[in-house]
C-alpha cells in the first residue's frame, strides 16, 4: 500500500508531501496506481519548483517507493499563498479520487499545522 502524507498550514497552503510504499496493484513497472501517484506528486513538485517565491527542500525522489518534499514560501505575497492553497487542493483531490478507486492500494493522511 502507498501511504501519502499531505501536510498543510491552517490557511490551507501546502507545507510538505511524502509518499512511501508500493501499491501492489500489479508487477513492478506495470502498476497503474504507483504510476498515477508518482505522476501526480512529481508534477506537483515540478510546478512548485517553477513558481517564484517558493523553494523545495528535503526532496527525495531517489528510490522507488519513496517520494517527499517540503515547501517553503520565500515570498509572502497573496499570489504565492494562493498558489500553495490551490496546489494543496489539486493534489488532495487527485489523491482522493485515486484512493476512492483503489482503497486497498492507497491511503491519504492529512495534517494541519
Amino acid at each position: 500500500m502507498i501511504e501519502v502524507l499531505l501536510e498543510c498550514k491552517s490557511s490551507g497552503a501546502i507545507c510538505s508531501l511524502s509518499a512511501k510504499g508500493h501499491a501492489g496493484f500489479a508487477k513492478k513497472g506495470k502498476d497503474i496506481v504507483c504510476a498515477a501517484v508518482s505522476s501526480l506528486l512529481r508534477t506537483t513538485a515540478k510546478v512548485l519548483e517553477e513558481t517564484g517565491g517558493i523553494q523545495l527542500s528535503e526532496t527525495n525522489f531517489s528510490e522507488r517507493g519513496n517520494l517527499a518534499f517540503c515547501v517553503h514560501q520565500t515570498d509572502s505575497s497573496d499570489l504565492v499563498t494562493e498558489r500553495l492553497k490551490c496546489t494543496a487542493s489539486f493534489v488532495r483531490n487527485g489523491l482522493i479520487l485515486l484512493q476512492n478507486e483503489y482503497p486497498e492500494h492507497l491511503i491519504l493522511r492529512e495534517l494541519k499545522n
Side-chain angles (χ1 to χ4, degrees), residues 33-77:
V33 179
C34 280
V37 171
S38 180
S39 180
L40 182 60
L41 301 188
R42 286 177 175 269
T43 301
T44 299
K46 185 68 172 166
V47 167
L48 291 171
E49 277 181 338
E50 293 178 350
T51 301
I54 297 171
Q55 288 183 338
L56 298 187
S57 69
E58 300 176 43
T59 57
N60 178 9
F61 302 110
S62 60
E63 61 184 75
R64 289 180 172 265
N66 283 315
L67 189 151
F69 58 86
C70 292
V71 181
H72 303 283
Q73 185 172 352
T74 59
D75 176 342
S76 61
S77 71

Side-chain angles (χ1 to χ4, degrees), residues 9-39:
K9 295 180 181 179
S10 59
S11 67
I14 187 171
C15 294
S16 68
L17 189 58
S18 65
K20 292 183 180 179
H22 296 282
F25 181 79
K27 291 180 184 180
K28 181 178 169 181
K30 303 216 182 265
D31 195 316
I32 61 171
V33 179
C34 280
V37 171
S38 180
S39 180

